[in-house]
Amino acid sequence: MRSVYSDLENGGGSIKVRMANVGASFTYVAPSLSSSSEETNKQIFGGWRNQVPTVYDSTTIEWNEIHSDIVETQPHSGAEAPPMLIYLPGLDGLGISATAQFDDLASSFELWRMTVDKSTAQPSFSQLVSTVVKFVKDSTNNADAETPREVILVGESFGGLLTCAVAMALKNVKSNKFTLKGMTLVNPATSFDETNWEQFVPLLTSLRYLESQEDIVDSSGNFNFVNELPTPYSVLGGMALAATIPDGNQFSSILEFILGTARMSSNEQMLAASADGFRLLAEYLPASVLETRVLQWLPVGTSVVNNVERLTKLDVPTL
């Protein structure tokens, strides 16, 4: 599973555009040449993982060249360009629970997936909105005004909240180069203001101070019984990464994937693998990052989106 996270963060597409000053990137996922079996997709794998991206900086990128490269990867040679589909992830900033759909989406759309770096200073909610809007404007700027690019936004959990805010902003952009064709919201985090997460998260993140730095396996490769269990934040942080905002089915899928790696011959190996799985989840959503994203992104996002006047003006087809 560690390799899946690594592919989401560093690879998993043929073109990667790094947006300036916000620690966010957009990666183009080319249609997969090899078909993945249904069982493979269930295991959160896919052909998208075999792609190694060429990385560009948003300040120097030449979109005419990029679109020429993209056309070569599309199976419908000479046909009208497919709609751009931009996937916005949840609080993890990567989109682990959507990986099984990437290959299918890439076969029908020009799929771009957003990632938010966990190791840089975290952007504000308004910066995230501005970043997506800028990407849409820049990537469609060379489109023919008579045939504007169709753009579809897909947001999951927190990404659903972000999608609504981006759609509101895009509707105010006067451009004949793109049209917002629709958006899909997967379990959007629009009800955050009705939960107790603002009170729970500070308590959750404070558990990081109880963690030990000792490894679960000692220098000789022997299982360390003293530290055989995952630390408090690694378990609860992992649960938060899997279930803070994703729905129960997604949570079950991710949890099953973690525990599936632990089905080994001995109880010691099973415990070690399970602990490593939870630590892996916590690694990709560190306590400080979780605290920032929950306490800064979600309250602002819900205040922007849950506004009756703004919502009534958002006449975008929505699933």
Side-chain angles (χ1 to χ4, degrees), residues 200-211 233 286-292 295:
F200 174 66
V201 166
L203 174 61
L204 168 63
T205 56
S206 70
L207 294 176
R208 66 185 182 272
Y209 300 114
L210 301 178
E211 297 187 8
Y233 176 75
S288 59
V289 173
L290 174 66
E291 190 167 29
T292 298
L295 299 185

Side-chain angles (χ1 to χ4, degrees), residues 18 24 35 50 80 132 142 150 153 158 178 238 266 283 297:
R18 287 178 174 163
S35 60
N50 298 322
E80 184 178 337
V132 182
N142 64 340
E150 294 181 338
L153 301 175
F158 164 75
F178 73 86
S266 71
E283 176 185 333
W297 290 2

Side-chain angles (χ1 to χ4, degrees), residues 168 304-314:
M168 291 175 178
V304 170
V305 172
N306 293 338
N307 181 292
V308 177
E309 183 178 353
R310 294 193 189 101
L311 285 175
T312 54
K313 295 179 181 179
L314 189 59

